[in-house]
Amino acid sequence: MRTQSERGNITALHAIDLNRLDFVYSNSIDGQKEEQYMDALDRIIKKGEKEDWKANFVLRRIELTQQNDKYNINNPEVGNRYMLVEVERQLEQLITDFPDSPASKRARNRINTINLPALNLESESVQVPDKPFLMLATVANLTKSEIYVYRLDQDEFVSINIRRYEQEF
């Protein structure tokens, strides 16, 4: 830190500050650590000009806002139902304000991740032969999907996996 200070490397000093804040946030057991961390980020963001180091603080604040939201479809009264829309808007603003910064590239990647179509299938870990079992399909950003479930014996399963392996390689 002293070396960066002597060199006048403001960007490195701010990166150190952000790392120190992250360390305290990660290791704190204070019940109000989210609010304190957000306040610290806001104070630093307000005092800075539009420089690359500030983009890192803005991005961290956006990530923390998303991370701390408690919205759940089973309990829609808690949290912000439209958090991803707001996060995407904030990320777009960061990209506009700091177009050439590394943080803007990370913000673009995060937007792509938010909008990425996804399908996840989960089934019960124990499936009793000749008894029905439950499957959960979780989808995101899909307008249409088709899911087929087939009953296979062990030999058929092994055969399909061998063919799939041979096709990939």
Side-chain angles (χ1 to χ4, degrees), residues 8-165:
N9 190 346
I10 301 298
T11 302
L13 291 172
H14 285 293
I16 292 169
D17 283 346
L18 185 57
N19 289 338
R20 290 169 58 197
L21 279 173
D22 284 340
F23 177 82
V24 171
Y25 177 75
S26 297
N27 294 294
S28 175
I29 58 170
D30 189 341
Q32 295 180 332
K33 71 179 185 177
E34 286 86 9
E35 294 86 15
Q36 294 168 349
Y37 187 57
M38 292 290 247
D39 289 342
L41 287 173
D42 286 340
R43 283 194 303 270
I44 293 169
I45 290 168
K46 285 179 185 171
K47 73 177 182 181
E49 298 296 321
K50 287 193 176 185
E51 297 179 37
D52 285 355
W53 66 262
K54 184 177 176 180
N56 291 324
F57 283 84
V58 173
L59 181 60
R60 183 63 184 118
R61 189 184 193 298
I62 294 168
E63 291 170 346
L64 189 66
T65 301
Q66 182 182 3
Q67 174 185 328
N68 290 336
D69 186 57
K70 308 263 189 281
Y71 178 75
N72 184 324
I73 195 165
N74 296 324
N75 188 6
E77 308 301 319
V78 177
N80 182 355
R81 178 181 184 159
Y82 303 103
M83 175 58 64
L84 287 180
V85 173
E86 179 62 22
V87 164
E88 190 170 354
R89 186 196 63 73
Q90 291 174 3
L91 291 168
E92 290 288 354
Q93 186 64 47
L94 185 146
I95 292 167
T96 302
D97 291 346
F98 308 96
D100 298 324
S101 71
S104 70
K105 291 176 180 71
R106 292 195 315 273
R108 176 59 56 204
N109 288 339
R110 184 167 286 272
I111 289 171
N112 291 339
T113 301
I114 289 171
N115 294 319
L116 185 71
L119 170 67
N120 183 32
L121 291 174
E122 296 178 45
S123 67
E124 292 179 310
S125 58
V126 176
Q127 298 159 12
V128 180
D130 298 322
K131 297 288 183 188
F133 62 92
L134 297 176
M135 288 189 81
L136 172 66
T138 308
V139 297
N141 300 322
L142 291 175
T143 55
K144 180 181 176 184
S145 65
E146 294 181 20
I147 301 170
Y148 300 97
V149 180
Y150 296 98
R151 182 186 308 246
L152 302 173
D153 62 29
Q154 185 174 358
D155 293 335
E156 291 171 321
F157 180 74
V158 169
S159 174
I160 288 172
N161 281 329
I162 288 172
R163 276 187 269 142
R164 184 180 303 148
Y165 178 79

